[in-house]
Structures are given as C-alpha cells and as structure tokens.
Amino acid sequence: MAEFTMELNEEQREVRDWLHGFAADVIRPAAAEWDEREETPWPVIQEAAKVGIYSLDFYAQQYFDPTGLGIPMAMEELFWGDAGIALSIVGTGLAAVGVLANGTEEQIGTWIPQMYGDANDVKVAAFCSSEPDAGSDVASMRTRAVYDEAKDEWVLNGTKTWATNGGIANVHVVVAVVDADLGSKGHASFIVPPNTPGLSQGQKFKKHGIRASHTAEVVLENVRVPGSCLLGGKEKLDERLARARERAKAGGERVKNAAMATFEASRPAVGAMAVGTARAAYEVALDYAKTREQFGRPIIDNQGVAFQLADMRTSVDAARLLVWRASWMAINGRPFTAAEGSQSKLFASETAKKVTAQALQILGGNGYTREYPVERMHRDSAIYTIFEGTSEIQRLVIARTLSGMPIR
C-alpha cells in the first residue's frame, strides 16, 4: 500500500508539466473558438491522441498509479486549460470506467480500445445512464433490457439524456432495467457496439457552459445486442439479482447498482476537474489584480480584493487535498466510511462555482465580457454541482453514510 503524500514524485511531476504544457499551448488557444462553435473539437482530440494523452495506455497508467494521484493530477491540468475541450478529451473515460467497474477481462480488452481508436482515426465513447424522468432518482429508470434466450440477445428500448458524446460515440455503454421489481438493484450495463441498428441521437443540447463537449439524448428502439455485451456476463447478473431478491424479501441491506458503481469510482476525478477550473480562474484574477490600477495603485493593494484572493487560494488548495485523499483511499482499497469520495466532489464543485464568481467580480466589467476567460470559466463551473450527482445528492450520500439511516 502506498503511503499518502502531498509530494508528487519525479515521474508524476514530469507528467504534470507535460500535461500543463499541452493545456497551455494547445487547449487554451482553441478554447474560445470551440466554446462559440458549440461543437466537438475533433482537431484538438486528435492532437491529444498524437502525443499520447487521448489513449487507453495513458489513462491506464494514471488509473493504476499506486498513489492514486495520477488521474486527479491529469484532470486538474487539462481542465485548467479549458473545461469544455478537456471534457471532450476525457469524456470517453466515464464509459471506460463503466466497463472497468463491471466488465469481464475479455470485455475490457475488447471494447475499451474501440472507445479511443487511434491517432489517425480517433473515436469517442458515451456512458448513458440519466433519463428524462430519472436523473438523481435512478430507481425511476424506464429503459428496459429484455433477454431473448432463443437468440442469446438483449433487446433495449428507452431514451437516455445528458449523455456526453451521445449519438456520436463509437461505443455506447447503456444502463437499463432488467428487473423492475428490484428498483435500482435491478439494473445492468450493456455495451452497444458501433453501428448497431435502432440506436440514434435525439436532441443535442445547447448548454450554458462546457459548450465544446457534445451532450445529447440517445434513443434506443429495439436495439439488439449479443449476450456477450452484458457487462459482467449473465451468470454474474443472475447471481446478483437472486441475492437482491432474497435481501428484498428479508428487508436486508442495500446493494449497489451498475450506474452507482461507476459514479463512485469517478467522483474524485470530477472533483479534480473542478479544482482545475477554480485554479485557472484564481490565477487569472491574481494576475489581473496585480496589474490593474485604480486610484493610482494596483487593486490587490485593497484589502477587499486581497482577502478574496486569499480565500480563493485557500479553498482551491483545500479542495485539492480532499480530492487527493479520496483518490488515494480508492486505489488502496480504503473504504469510504465517511463518503470521502462524495465529500471531495461536493467541496471541489462548490469551490469552483464560488471561486469563478469571485474572479469575475475582481475583474469587474472586463470579467463579464468574453474578452477574458473568467466569463467562460464561470459558466463552465456550474456543471460540477450538477453532473454525476448534484451537490444535494452528495450531501445525502454523506449524511446517510455518517448516520446509517435512510435519510430522505
């Protein structure tokens, strides 16, 4: 087990500096353009693939870093560059985590490479869980998967929403209900291979922020996938459902479902994304406050501005520490006895909203214009308190974990 440390080793520092250089030289110069276009920045993704950032190997190296700091470090640097473009680069990772968390070794080896493609032909993947009437309330999911035993195929029907890369993905990972009587315990995850008939893109959303990241509905109409596309396999699913039915009869303990397993694994990473955006906004505000003069002196000489910057830096550093702690605990098998993963996501996402708002205020009228990046950072930051579990859901998870009670 790796000891917890706040000091990156030499290899980690080299990777961090490499990522920071890519974010500064490639992502930032393109950020305003792709935000305005509201389109997937394929040229930037391809550049990331060429240098090895957008690849299975890179994310595997960071994912299996024994300190747990590889992924949060990478997320912070990329999102320091720009949240929308960075999400386009890392969005495939959520689908990959879904396969890693629930799939067999064969499924992992088969499907994750197809999610990324290669530098000459980049692909993306989508994780499809939320629905129009089932966001935080996963028990209300309506997408159904019915097993056709004669053909050894699963038939999927339903509509997914808020899917990053939805409809444009090469591989879709879809969470569906296989036993409605079990509520959220009766869910399973499925791979939908490329060009599968019946899957189509629905509405593409025009968003407040992260506009360079494609977000859309995914419509499933009698989508047939082979039995081998059930993540984990049918035998494992049948055993899990049987245990869930027995627990339901006995009024026993709660069990995790496929979507929640994916979100639990990714929440500290989302926290790191928020840290990157918050840090970027703080740095812009600090530089501006040092050079902007009013009444014959830099505005940082005013306590009202200086104290805000002090609070901003303190909050960013505190958020990073919570993210690093949760990431270290996760890779070393330490249980989240106080919902440390949700703590990190909650605090970091709220910090991003607050710090970007403070940065905008420090820049005043300039901050409100698109000539300066804090306006975009402020819009982007709103998503962190919403996706992969709202702040209210994080608080509910934390409270239930601490109390052991089914708080509603």
Side-chain angles (χ1 to χ4, degrees), residues 309-355:
L309 288 163
D311 288 343
M312 291 160 72
R313 175 59 184 264
T314 301
S315 295
V316 170
D317 285 0
R320 182 185 299 109
L321 288 175
L322 283 171
V323 167
W324 282 18
R325 180 185 68 169
S327 301
W328 174 82
M329 291 176 68
I331 199 69
N332 286 287
R334 295 289 185 91
F336 287 167
T337 56
E340 287 85 353
S342 289
Q343 284 186 36
S344 69
K345 199 266 187 185
L346 170 65
F347 189 82
S349 61
E350 294 290 345
T351 292
K353 284 188 68 174
K354 181 178 180 181
V355 167

Side-chain angles (χ1 to χ4, degrees), residues 219-263:
V219 181
L220 304 141
E221 297 179 307
N222 292 320
V223 172
R224 285 183 169 269
V225 299
S228 60
C229 288
L230 166 64
L231 290 182
K234 193 167 188 305
E235 182 178 347
K236 183 178 178 181
L237 172 65
D238 289 341
E239 291 174 356
R240 179 168 62 82
L241 293 178
R243 290 195 300 270
R245 292 184 188 107
E246 288 300 317
R247 290 189 177 109
K249 289 179 182 177
E253 62 188 271
R254 299 169 59 88
V255 297
K256 296 175 184 176
N257 62 69
M260 289 300 102
T262 298
F263 289 141

Side-chain angles (χ1 to χ4, degrees), residues 133-175:
D133 296 318
S136 300
D137 183 11
V138 295
S140 297
M141 190 176 294
R142 295 181 180 178
T143 297
R144 296 290 189 266
V146 178
Y147 185 55
D148 183 343
E149 188 171 0
K151 295 184 178 181
D152 186 26
E153 292 180 340
W154 289 89
V155 184
L156 281 63
N157 282 282
T159 299
K160 294 296 181 178
T161 194
W162 310 123
T164 298
N165 298 328
I168 66 170
N170 194 47
V171 176
H172 290 77
V173 178
V174 177
V175 182

Side-chain angles (χ1 to χ4, degrees), residues 27-273:
I27 294 178
R28 280 202 167 180
E33 175 188 350
W34 291 99
D35 178 72
E36 291 286 348
R37 291 175 64 166
E38 299 190 52
E39 297 174 357
T40 300
W42 291 107
V44 183
I45 299 174
Q46 187 168 34
E47 286 301 311
K50 286 179 179 178
V51 300
I53 293 173
Y54 186 76
S55 71
L56 172 61
D57 288 343
F58 173 74
Y59 287 106
Q61 290 174 12
Q62 305 315 310
Y63 186 84
F64 292 110
D65 180 338
T67 69
L69 302 185
I71 288 294
M73 177 190 66
M75 295 300 107
E76 179 177 339
E77 293 304 327
L78 293 173
F79 280 74
W80 172 89
D82 176 69
I85 291 179
L87 191 57
S88 287
I89 294 174
V90 308
T92 293
L94 184 58
V97 168
V99 176
L100 286 168
N102 302 295
T104 64
E105 289 187 8
E106 182 179 357
Q107 290 169 331
I108 292 169
T110 298
W111 295 110
I112 293 185
Q114 295 188 48
M115 293 179 174
Y116 289 95
D118 57 47
N120 296 317
D121 185 21
V122 293
K123 305 292 186 183
V124 294
F127 183 76
C128 308
S129 177
S130 293
E131 298 184 2
D133 296 318
S136 300
D137 183 11
V138 295
S140 297
M141 190 176 294
R142 295 181 180 178
T143 297
R144 296 290 189 266
V146 178
Y147 185 55
D148 183 343
E149 188 171 0
K151 295 184 178 181
D152 186 26
E153 292 180 340
W154 289 89
V155 184
L156 281 63
N157 282 282
T159 299
K160 294 296 181 178
T161 194
W162 310 123
T164 298
N165 298 328
I168 66 170
N170 194 47
V171 176
H172 290 77
V173 178
V174 177
V175 182
V177 178
V178 294
D179 189 331
D181 293 337
L182 294 175
S184 61
K185 305 176 186 69
H187 296 176
S189 292
F190 298 85
I191 292 285
V192 180
N195 303 314
T196 298
L199 184 147
S200 62
Q201 179 183 308
Q203 176 187 5
K204 178 185 175 181
F205 296 104
K206 306 219 19 118
K207 305 187 299 294
H208 176 66
I210 56 166
R211 301 196 302 197
S213 173
H214 176 96
T215 310
E217 291 182 332
V218 174
V219 181
L220 304 141
E221 297 179 307
N222 292 320
V223 172
R224 285 183 169 269
V225 299
S228 60
C229 288
L230 166 64
L231 290 182
K234 193 167 188 305
E235 182 178 347
K236 183 178 178 181
L237 172 65
D238 289 341
E239 291 174 356
R240 179 168 62 82
L241 293 178
R243 290 195 300 270
R245 292 184 188 107
E246 288 300 317
R247 290 189 177 109
K249 289 179 182 177
E253 62 188 271
R254 299 169 59 88
V255 297
K256 296 175 184 176
N257 62 69
M260 289 300 102
T262 298
F263 289 141
E264 284 187 10
S266 62
R267 275 173 180 156
V270 176
M273 298 173 188

